[in-house]
Amino acid sequence: MTVYDTSDHQKGLIKNIAIVSTGGTIEMLPGHGGLDIADDHNPLPIKGEVIPPGVNVEHIRFCSIPSPEITPEIMAQLCLKLEEMTSSGKYNGIVVTHGTDTLEETAFLADIYLKGTVPVVFTAAMRSQAEMGVDGPRNVRGALLTAANNEVHKLGVTVVLNDEIHSAGRVTKTYTSNVSSFTSPGYGPLGFVDQDRVLLQRRPMWKIQLPESKLKLNQKVGLVRIASGLGAREIRYSVDCGDDAIIVEALGRGNVPPDVSEAVQYAIERGTIVCITSRCYIGRVLGVYNYTGGGADLEQKGAILAGDMQGHKLRLLMMASLGIGMTAENIRRMLKRL
Ligand code: ASP
């Protein structure tokens, strides 16, 4: 069945979509002892039925590496490349293929940086092409359909896997192995791909956006996850290593043990920005507890409570904010909106 819902195709218009590939399982085959990036023949599924009617694809290989090797610096370079491509006027949409392990970080950085009206859609595969029930070809097709849609750019950068369209700001990998791994806890998908139709259901009211400036990252941002009896030593270490900011994934509503509260004070007294988020995967932090280590106590000590943003995304936001020269006060004001 072919039900192609963009009126452009029916009018005979061709959509030029670039596929920017970066590596990941979608490009892997079994090697000695396990999956690895295929050397000689790149199995990126961008042929035949994967390409929807009315779509013209140009493949650009940005890199070909497993996504744990994608550093923030590589993410930033990719974002600059995407910016150049979206403003070139050559493409109606861009699909980025990426390993699933760090996909949400790269997509998030692109989301807070890019401002254009050209859809940028990330996709990936949970299974290699050598496995039964391979998902890569279907995901690429869904991403191409999404990138060809005239409304999608209004959603910011999106992530399409398993027929679901998610906001890069909210999506996360929730399952190590299942094809339904990518979800947006507490928010849900923005839409769906059903056969050849792109069905958009919701639009985010707002998203965090970096001020106009060429993307640069400050690498000196730490991330500390709190657990019972753990975190104070790690925060002090991060300060002593010279970090300019530390993201603390606190407990529950944004609370930490008393010795971690002291370490937060230690950091703030030395000029390190401390930003609190929660290790809970749904919900905001808020200063409702005023015992030593409660969110209110941390706020009084000068920490910034940062809504419901995940620690690893918040770290990238902080790296970019500091990198482009935002002041601590501007960063505080921006994060207060979360
Ligand atoms: N480990 C792989 C990667 O992120 C997982 C994947 O692509 O699904 O590169």
Side-chain angles (χ1 to χ4, degrees), residues 193-271:
V193 181
D194 188 4
Q195 301 282 353
D196 282 0
R197 297 185 66 195
V198 172
L199 302 161
L200 302 181
Q201 306 285 357
R202 300 190 301 106
R203 185 174 163 187
M205 295 284 287
W206 73 284
K207 73 177 183 90
I208 202 123
Q209 185 82 53
L210 289 171
E212 195 85 48
S213 190
K214 197 161 175 68
L215 185 60
K216 264 212 222 123
L217 300 180
N218 177 330
Q219 303 291 337
K220 295 193 310 192
V221 180
L223 172 63
V224 175
R225 185 176 171 92
I226 305 304
S228 166
L230 184 95
R233 184 187 58 176
E234 288 70 17
I235 290 173
R236 286 173 190 271
Y237 181 72
S238 179
V239 175
D240 295 345
C241 285
D243 280 343
D244 292 320
I246 304 168
I247 310 301
V248 177
E249 275 187 16
L251 310 169
R253 229 4 185 159
N255 312 310
V256 298
D259 64 333
V260 174
S261 175
E262 278 168 32
V264 166
Q265 183 147 20
Y266 175 84
I268 289 167
E269 280 168 2
R270 281 155 188 77

Side-chain angles (χ1 to χ4, degrees), residues 284-304:
R284 303 181 67 250
V285 290
L286 195 70
V288 294
Y289 296 101
N290 198 26
Y291 53 77
T292 304
D297 166 59
L298 298 178
E299 217 168 13
Q300 281 152 30
K301 286 181 167 136
I304 306 169

Side-chain angles (χ1 to χ4, degrees), residues 37-203:
I37 296 284
D39 288 337
D40 305 335
H41 52 298
N42 181 342
L44 198 66
I46 49 173
K47 282 195 294 250
E49 266 193 316
V50 170
I51 315 293
V55 169
N56 185 33
V57 163
E58 181 186 340
H59 177 203
I60 296 164
R61 188 189 306 261
F62 180 79
C63 59
S64 191
I65 54 179
S67 76
E69 284 179 30
I70 301 225
T71 59
E73 204 39 58
I74 297 173
M75 291 177 188
Q77 282 165 19
L78 176 62
C79 289
L80 293 172
K81 173 79 180 167
L82 293 174
E83 182 184 37
E84 181 195 305
M85 290 175 71
T86 51
S87 46
S88 69
K90 273 177 72 181
Y91 306 105
N92 301 106
I94 298 174
V95 168
V96 181
T97 60
H98 199 290
T100 57
D101 289 348
T102 60
L103 181 150
E104 68 208 62
E105 283 163 82
T106 307
F108 172 73
L109 189 62
D111 189 45
I112 60 173
Y113 181 59
L114 298 174
K115 289 202 177 76
T117 53
V118 175
V120 175
V121 183
F122 279 68
T123 194
M126 292 295 294
R127 296 180 183 142
S128 81
Q129 288 193 65
E131 287 169 82
M132 201 182 272
V134 56
D135 56 334
R138 190 182 181 98
N139 289 344
V140 172
R141 186 179 167 83
L144 286 170
L145 282 162
T146 306
N149 184 283
N150 294 330
E151 302 291 313
V152 160
H153 66 275
K154 298 177 188 163
L155 308 178
V157 173
T158 50
V159 174
V160 173
L161 276 97
N162 200 33
D163 299 339
E164 293 184 353
I165 303 167
H166 290 269
S167 159
R170 301 298 181 189
V171 77
T172 193
K173 182 174 179 176
T174 60
Y175 202 127
T176 55
S177 57
N178 199 290
V179 293
S180 66
S181 176
F182 281 78
T183 66
S184 301
Y187 293 92
L190 301 177
F192 303 91
V193 181
D194 188 4
Q195 301 282 353
D196 282 0
R197 297 185 66 195
V198 172
L199 302 161
L200 302 181
Q201 306 285 357
R202 300 190 301 106
R203 185 174 163 187

